[in-house]
Amino acid sequence: MANDGKLHVAMFPWLAFGHMIPYLELAKLIAQKGHKISFISTPKNIDRLPKLPPHLAHLINFVKIPLPILDKLPENAEATIDVAYHEVKYLKIAYDALQKPITQFLQSSSPDWLFFDFVPYWLPTIASNLNIPTAFFIILNAAFLGFVGPSTVLTGTKDYRTKPEDFTVPPNWIPFETTVAFKLFEVLSIFKDAVVGDEENISDLYRLGASIKACDIIAIKSCSEFEPEWFQLVQQLHQKPVLPVGLLPVTVNNGGDGNNNDAWIDIKEWLDNQAKGSVVYIAFGSEAELSQGQLTEIALGLELSGLPFFWVLRRRSGSADNIQLPDGFEERTKGRGMVWTSWAPQPKILSHDSVGGFLTHSGWGSLVEGIQFGRGLILLTFLSDQGLNARVLEEKKLGYPIPRDERDGSFTRNSVAESLRLVMLDEAGQTYRDNVKKMSKLFGDTDRQDRYVDNLLGFLQSHRRPQVL
């Protein structure tokens, strides 16, 4: 190992692009400082990642480890986007079977640090046996970790929360006033997989708790200026170093669009013809599976609003093919609305002057991008951490939630239209527009991001372990 102070950091994200992309962004920021990265994933996923900037390609080594074949997984499925929601657990089971090849890679490469995601709860023990320190890098915010609580609760040692209703109120370990909690419909949609698990698969919360308990440090994709009280709480709950890595703001022109520049040319041409700040951009990430009822109400709500819109409507693999837009919808909205059914460069769209609002599923990555570019946020949650993210933004008056039924999550076309107009046009929505513009300075601050990376690297360098020969 060179004695020049440079690090070799291995990274092993979960098999979802909402996880792999933030890991890759952090990898690039670390590599820019001259450190070496081993980025571990499956062959198909690595081939689908954005191309590296040429000046970093020699510092980031992509390590391809094939995913074991599982009868219940569709052929060639290597990421959550390749499977239906109910099949994600089989992806986790296949991922768990990577223990042996990962161990062999770590033994042969001896990285100074290993950054890992919430799914491979077994990995920090393997790394510890090889004298490799670990960072649990969570691509969510500190509020999420604060709400879900200590390892004893997450792993079920203490049965604090056993039924869905328990997740609809702030837990007793939060020492400050907050409205951050799930709505009942949000918990019901994830309770089985995230909280309970089954005879085939371990629950997400158990994986999370075991990962945190066994890691050396917790690294969070957020910044302490945005949520200081939550960072303090996470530190108190886990009694180990908690490091913000910054918000990892995206750069719009980083050459990372691969072969999709033709798509952007067409999209930009359409956006260029719209008035400044007039367009609502709609995207719900790669995980959400809209029902026919939800799709219909969103579409008719867009129509009712009278606003120009650009809707990225992609179906994930395995979702129902018979879900359709309302009859005549595209014809009636022709000229002022665009439905885009293939890949779209979200940061480029959000940065375009014609975009004024963002109707989003409240995934943390999308929220960061929306705030970074100062766009009014209209929130419609579907899965996972999205409900907690939405509450954080509601509390800070940074985003407006579409009103819904608390138990089944249903909403109407009228509530969609009214929410869009409120955030985009109405005087009552001025607070949201002003607040997000102010916060965009923090979220897009690249100098601050650089300081976070320097601070992280300083810690990693001072706490690396001597290699065992």
Side-chain angles (χ1 to χ4, degrees), residues 219-244:
I220 302 177
K221 186 198 164 187
S222 185
C223 66
S224 49
E225 293 90 341
F226 179 67
E227 44 176 359
E229 72 283 18
W230 290 105
F231 268 97
Q232 196 175 349
L233 175 59
V234 175
Q235 173 77 60
Q236 289 167 353
L237 290 175
H238 299 294
Q239 296 295 307
K240 59 179 66 182
V242 177
L243 280 78

Side-chain angles (χ1 to χ4, degrees), residues 40-238:
I40 310 161
S41 193
T42 63
K44 185 178 174 185
N45 286 331
I46 285 172
D47 291 344
R48 289 186 285 187
L49 287 170
K51 299 292 174 272
L52 291 173
H55 71 287
L56 297 180
H58 69 290
L59 287 164
I60 299 177
N61 176 40
F62 287 116
V63 180
K64 295 182 175 182
I65 298 182
L67 199 66
I69 294 168
L70 225 67
D71 287 344
K72 292 180 178 176
L73 264 185
E75 193 178 356
N76 297 322
E78 295 186 14
T80 54
I81 198 170
D82 302 325
V83 298
Y85 180 71
H86 71 273
E87 294 171 315
V88 171
K89 73 174 184 179
Y90 301 116
L91 201 59
K92 287 174 184 158
I93 293 165
Y95 189 77
D96 287 341
L98 294 175
Q99 293 182 41
K100 188 176 178 182
I102 289 286
T103 304
Q104 289 169 338
F105 171 76
L106 294 174
Q107 281 173 324
S108 63
S109 61
S110 297
D112 296 301
W113 278 87
L114 171 63
F115 278 54
F116 73 102
D117 216 328
F118 81 100
V119 176
Y121 64 99
W122 36 266
L123 192 50
T125 303
I126 290 170
S128 179
N129 290 337
L130 298 170
N131 203 39
I132 300 167
T134 53
F136 169 58
F137 174 36
I138 184 164
I139 55 101
L140 309 177
N141 50 37
F144 173 82
L145 281 186
F147 179 85
V148 295
S151 298
T152 49
V153 170
L154 289 165
T155 56
T157 312
K158 289 184 178 175
D159 281 345
Y160 177 73
R161 292 187 285 209
T162 55
K163 56 187 190 296
E165 289 76 9
D166 296 336
F167 290 82
T168 62
V169 291
N172 60 15
W173 54 77
I174 298 180
F176 46 85
E177 286 293 314
T178 183
T179 55
V180 172
F182 285 106
K183 304 289 188 189
L184 186 58
F185 71 87
E186 292 166 339
V187 185
L188 291 172
S189 69
I190 59 172
F191 192 73
K192 184 174 179 293
D193 292 319
V195 182
V196 180
D198 58 30
E199 66 283 351
E200 288 183 300
N201 187 36
I202 294 152
S203 76
D204 289 346
L205 288 191
Y206 182 90
R207 289 176 185 271
L208 179 65
S211 295
I212 293 173
K213 187 177 180 182
C215 72
D216 292 292
I217 68 169
I218 301 167
I220 302 177
K221 186 198 164 187
S222 185
C223 66
S224 49
E225 293 90 341
F226 179 67
E227 44 176 359
E229 72 283 18
W230 290 105
F231 268 97
Q232 196 175 349
L233 175 59
V234 175
Q235 173 77 60
Q236 289 167 353
L237 290 175
H238 299 294

Side-chain angles (χ1 to χ4, degrees), residues 185 291 293-294 297 380-381 402-413 415-416:
F185 71 87
S291 68
Q294 289 171 332
E297 295 306 310
L380 190 67
T381 64
I402 291 176
R404 300 170 77 166
D405 182 279
E406 293 272 330
R407 175 157 280 278
D408 66 14
S410 60
F411 54 90
T412 66
R413 62 200 70 176
S415 64
V416 171

Side-chain angles (χ1 to χ4, degrees), residues 57 184 198 208 216 238 266 311 339 361 411 422 433 452 469:
L184 186 58
D198 58 30
L208 179 65
D216 292 292
H238 299 294
D266 293 341
W311 187 359
V339 178
H361 60 306
F411 54 90
L422 182 141
R433 298 193 289 274
Y452 271 115
L469 299 176

Side-chain angles (χ1 to χ4, degrees), residues 292 295-296 299-304 309 311 324-339:
Q292 180 63 67
L295 186 71
T296 298
L300 297 179
L302 285 169
E303 187 177 344
L304 270 174
F309 64 86
W311 187 359
Q324 303 293 335
L325 287 164
D327 286 344
F329 167 76
E330 288 183 87
E331 191 58 41
R332 294 191 301 273
T333 57
K334 196 171 181 180
R336 75 168 172 94
M338 169 76 82
V339 178

